Amino acid sequence: MSELSVKHLLGIKYLQEKDIQLIFETADHFKEVINRSIKKVPSLRDITIANIFFENSTRTKLSFELAEKRLSADVINFSAGQSSVKKGETLIDTVNNILSMKVDMVVMRHPNPGAGIFLAKHVNASIINAGDGAHEHPTQALLDSYSIREKLGDVANKKVVIVGDILHSRVALSNIFALKLQGAEVKVCGPRTLLPKYVESLGVEVETDLRKALNWCDVANMLRIQNERLDISYFPTTREYTQQYGVNSRLLDSLNKKIVIMHPGPINRGVEITSDVADSGQSIILDQVENGVAIRMAVIYLLASKIKQ
Ligand code: CP
């Protein structure tokens, strides 16, 4: 297979397993490129990409911009906070104005679930979802699986536990779709109040005891509490949450094996993960960030080749 089955990347839900393998094979090539002394290829000199962010971001925004520049695309950046959205302009008007400047692709982060799907129906450009509310964050899940593949050789048959605020996490949902598509076994772990009632229908098991979950898994993906999406209290206090669902070196050292620790960032050090774990040899958190550039180069390159057809 040499092309993606989709025109946009709106969610992992819309991908096939062969799409993921194609993205990984393409990312392998770009990872080699970004480790050369000249980290750039001329592939997308004829493509213009707009990064439009209606929500804060550090990793995703910088990673997309770097990926686009490494591919030699022209790049424009838009932050809603400094734009005419503040004067009442709609999403579609905003994007159509950007597109009239001859933009080919839009990378969008938005607080509303489904914003990218809505946009893809109304504008004539390739859309990449860089995180839409509590719905999906597909490039994060791709770089997470790619990092597991790099560390453990494969994703199929690996045991992965996703720990924390599953209810409000787009990273959790996209990871569940991606991991299941590749044949991994997946559990979610957290307080019952932060686990969606439907989660088992996605083919994952629930484990509320963190020690049991960690003793079972090969990989633990630690998520932060999405405080910006919490309208009520879901657990008594942060201290109690940390006692039950935070990972620390004492807990890791007491397990019957060495597991891989992941985190999509931003980390709340001392809440879901202690600094000694985040910065330890078991953690691949910064590898995830590094792999994010190669994965985003692969996604952009593959979607751009569909625009050019
Ligand atoms: N992982 C992630 O999406 O981080 P940012 O919010 O900083 O982009």
Side-chain angles (χ1 to χ4, degrees), residues 213-233:
L214 297 181
N215 263 324
W216 169 82
C217 73
D218 303 306
V219 178
N221 196 350
M222 306 302 299
L223 305 182
R224 74 184 172 90
I225 303 294
Q226 307 270 304
N227 284 314
E228 69 274 29
R229 294 187 226 289
L230 263 51
D231 44 359
I232 55 166
S233 292

Side-chain angles (χ1 to χ4, degrees), residues 53 55-62 109 130 137 140 143 170-171 224 263-266 296:
F53 277 67
E55 239 190 25
N56 295 341
S57 169
T58 298
R59 278 147 293 271
T60 311
K61 192 163 187 277
L62 293 176
R109 171 167 288 192
H137 192 349
Q140 180 68 47
L143 73 89
R170 55 194 174 210
V171 174
R224 74 184 172 90
H263 195 305
R296 290 178 175 117

Side-chain angles (χ1 to χ4, degrees), residues 12-268:
I12 301 291
K13 188 179 174 186
Y14 308 103
L15 296 185
Q16 301 170 13
E17 210 269 331
K18 58 187 181 179
D19 290 317
I20 295 184
Q21 294 314 324
L22 177 62
I23 292 167
F24 287 178
E25 283 156 23
T26 313
D28 286 342
H29 167 68
F30 287 129
K31 184 148 183 184
E32 188 261 313
V33 167
I34 59 181
N35 280 299
R36 290 182 197 158
S37 54
I38 297 173
K39 301 174 171 55
K40 217 169 158 141
V41 286
S43 316
L44 299 191
R45 274 187 307 200
D46 51 346
I47 293 282
T48 303
I49 304 176
N51 300 313
I52 65 173
F53 277 67
F54 292 84
E55 239 190 25
N56 295 341
S57 169
T58 298
R59 278 147 293 271
T60 311
K61 192 163 187 277
L62 293 176
S63 179
F64 266 113
E65 187 172 347
L66 200 54
E68 292 150 5
K69 289 180 172 168
R70 298 273 192 249
L71 290 165
S72 304
D74 288 323
V75 179
I76 54 172
N77 289 306
F78 167 95
S79 292
Q82 287 113 45
S83 73
S84 293
V85 168
K86 292 280 173 202
K87 302 175 198 162
E89 195 163 31
T90 65
L91 174 61
I92 291 182
D93 279 343
T94 300
V95 175
N96 272 329
N97 274 271
I98 293 170
L99 293 181
S100 63
M101 300 176 209
K102 308 294 177 219
V103 166
D104 305 292
M105 191 179 287
V106 173
V107 175
M108 183 171 75
R109 171 167 288 192
H110 199 282
N112 294 348
I117 298 167
F118 174 75
L119 200 59
K121 284 184 185 149
H122 289 92
V123 303
N124 187 23
S126 185
I127 310 294
I128 300 179
N129 176 8
D132 58 335
H135 180 224
E136 280 225 40
H137 192 349
T139 55
Q140 180 68 47
L142 289 167
L143 73 89
D144 289 344
S145 282
Y146 186 79
S147 302
I148 294 172
R149 170 184 178 263
E150 184 178 71
K151 184 75 183 173
L152 300 179
D154 202 351
V155 176
N157 302 317
K158 297 295 176 295
K159 294 176 178 169
V160 182
V161 64
I162 307 171
V163 182
D165 180 3
I166 313 297
L167 185 64
H168 301 100
S169 173
R170 55 194 174 210
V171 174
L173 189 59
S174 287
N175 260 277
I176 289 169
F177 287 141
L179 291 165
K180 293 296 295 177
L181 211 49
Q182 294 167 88
E185 287 182 60
V186 185
K187 287 190 182 185
V188 291
C189 180
R192 283 271 175 202
T193 49
L194 289 175
L195 302 176
K197 287 191 174 64
Y198 61 81
V199 74
E200 279 154 320
S201 70
L202 301 174
V204 307
E205 285 182 40
V206 168
E207 174 56 74
T208 53
D209 183 319
L210 180 61
R211 177 180 291 280
K212 281 188 189 164
L214 297 181
N215 263 324
W216 169 82
C217 73
D218 303 306
V219 178
N221 196 350
M222 306 302 299
L223 305 182
R224 74 184 172 90
I225 303 294
Q226 307 270 304
N227 284 314
E228 69 274 29
R229 294 187 226 289
L230 263 51
D231 44 359
I232 55 166
S233 292
Y234 287 80
F235 45 85
T237 63
T238 303
R239 191 158 164 267
E240 285 180 62
Y241 177 84
T242 300
Q243 279 171 353
Q244 285 198 53
Y245 293 104
V247 68
N248 56 51
S249 55
R250 194 163 31 86
L251 177 55
L252 281 192
D253 291 345
S254 72
L255 302 179
N256 54 24
K257 58 181 168 183
K258 285 260 183 247
I259 61 169
V260 177
I261 298 292
M262 302 176 70
H263 195 305
I267 294 173
N268 287 138

